[in-house]
Amino acid sequence: EWGDGNVHACQYFCRSGGTICTGFQGERTGGYNWVWDWEGKESSTTGDTIGMLLNLDEGTLIVYKNNRHLGVMKDGLSGSYCWHAGVGQDGDTVTISKARIPTMAPSSPN
């Protein structure tokens, strides 16, 4: 635990590139804050690799796609935080692992 923030989980939606964050306290729709537009938002498909970097010093959650920096999905984070992953279709897979931060500069989607 670090700080006393009220957002404790964020989810990235591969199909749309949108996100949902929650502090589990009932803010907005059923306790969730839907964010459909964030700088760098980009969808992904089968075969793409999505990376997420939780920077505890900056309080940010940064998203990478295929080692390419997409952007800051959420900022202002502090306090308890949990990781989770889900799949939407049979045959989808998820791997959570520690990895090096990609060194590629941010770029525009094709």
Side-chain angles (χ1 to χ4, degrees):
E1 188 169 320
W2 81 106
D4 58 0
N6 65 357
V7 173
H8 306 298
C10 293
Q11 181 175 341
Y12 168 82
F13 291 94
C14 294
R15 185 175 293 159
S16 68
T19 183
I20 187 171
C21 299
T22 184
F24 306 114
Q25 285 98 20
E27 76 263 358
R28 296 201 183 179
T29 309
Y32 296 95
N33 178 17
W34 294 86
V35 180
W36 294 111
D37 278 330
W38 54 275
E39 187 176 341
K41 175 187 165 187
E42 190 175 311
S43 63
S44 60
T45 60
T46 301
D48 287 334
T49 298
I50 300 300
M52 301 178 94
L53 171 65
L54 178 60
N55 184 323
L56 303 178
D57 294 325
E58 298 291 326
T60 56
L61 182 59
I62 300 168
V63 178
Y64 296 86
K65 176 180 169 185
N66 300 325
N67 289 325
R68 183 171 47 89
H69 179 271
L70 294 183
V72 175
M73 186 172 82
K74 183 70 178 160
D75 60 8
L77 299 172
S78 70
S80 298
Y81 202 79
C82 64
W83 289 102
H84 73 95
V87 296
Q89 299 177 12
D90 289 344
D92 287 350
T93 60
V94 173
T95 302
I96 298 176
S97 61
K98 184 176 181 177
R100 292 187 180 271
I101 299 171
T103 58
M104 301 173 91
S107 62
S108 300
N110 297 331

